[in-house]
Amino acid sequence: MATRPYDPRPRRPWREAALVSSGFVALLWLIELLDTGLNNRLDREGIRPGSPDGLSGVLFAPLLHVGFDHLAANTVPLLVLGFLILLSGVGQWLAVTATVWIVGGLGTWLLGGAGTVHLGASLLVFGWLVFLLVRGIFTRRPGQIALGVLLFLVYGSLLWGVLPGQPGVSWQGHLFGALGGLLAAWWLRPSRLGRIGVGQSPYRG
């Protein structure tokens, strides 16, 4: 059994959540500013489906955007959804983000159109959104269920983006990002974590 000193200071998860969320989005803006200065050379590092060289894009694609308009469209959802996940701790945010990042990236690489390049943080937006929409189903917490309903009313129309048909939009990234969010909600459910001996559920607050 481990012990640690008692900290009398009140915990402020919203402050940590705001700092990490805004810091991540600021990083994306810095990367796009750098890419602009390099004549958009970094965009070549996106996901190129079916290409062995393009597989490395799984690591980089969510950090890259097709110009500032593209990044601006993702900024508010990234701030809002990232903040809401971070209220339950940085650990949960990292676990959810890693799952969405990998599942969304690999799915896009496997099923994206040949000769295309896929990039953008909307993969994360769809994954984070679906995670928050279904999390309450697995935790059975009324507050999280209510949050899911509210988010569906606000952002539910985004889910049409998982369907093909809009030119220049990576519906594959949206679809597999969303599936990554669903997988994360299932994988991190409290009942499973209890069975494998994790002492504290990542679902807090």
Side-chain angles (χ1 to χ4, degrees):
M1 179 179 293
T3 63
R4 63 181 180 183
Y6 171 70
D7 187 352
R9 293 172 299 179
R11 182 173 175 268
R12 295 185 175 88
W14 59 267
R15 179 178 296 176
E16 181 180 63
L19 287 173
V20 176
S21 179
S22 59
F24 178 72
V25 172
L27 174 64
L28 298 182
W29 279 89
L30 287 174
I31 291 173
E32 188 57 31
L33 183 63
L34 174 63
D35 188 33
T36 300
L38 294 174
N39 295 320
N40 300 313
R41 294 178 188 173
L42 296 181
D43 291 350
R44 303 171 189 171
E45 302 305 318
I47 299 170
R48 285 174 280 149
S51 167
D53 293 337
L55 185 58
S56 63
V58 171
L59 298 176
F60 304 117
L63 302 174
L64 305 171
H65 291 82
V66 187
F68 288 106
D69 289 343
H70 184 204
L71 176 54
N74 285 328
T75 292
V76 173
L78 286 171
L79 287 171
V80 173
L81 301 175
F83 174 82
L84 291 173
I85 296 175
L86 281 158
L87 287 176
S88 294
V90 175
Q92 180 174 120
W93 179 79
L94 288 172
V96 174
T97 300
T99 304
V100 172
W101 201 303
I102 294 170
V103 173
L106 289 178
T108 302
W109 185 81
L110 288 171
L111 295 180
T116 59
V117 179
H118 299 247
L119 61 163
S122 55
L123 179 152
L124 298 178
V125 169
F126 276 76
W128 290 351
L129 174 60
V130 169
F131 173 80
L132 289 167
L133 288 177
V134 303
R135 176 176 61 172
I137 297 173
F138 295 106
T139 64
R140 299 180 182 178
R141 295 187 177 180
Q144 293 179 349
I145 294 173
L147 176 62
V149 173
L150 177 61
L151 287 174
F152 181 77
L153 294 175
V154 176
Y155 288 114
S157 61
L158 286 179
L159 297 176
W160 290 109
V162 303
L163 300 176
Q166 188 173 350
V169 174
S170 176
W171 64 268
Q172 296 94 337
H174 296 171
L175 174 61
F176 286 101
L179 291 176
L182 179 62
L183 176 63
W186 173 80
W187 186 255
L188 296 171
R189 68 193 187 278
S191 59
R192 176 189 166 276
L193 293 175
R195 287 199 302 272
I196 63 176
V198 177
Q200 168 122 20
S201 165
Y203 294 106
R204 303 198 307 269

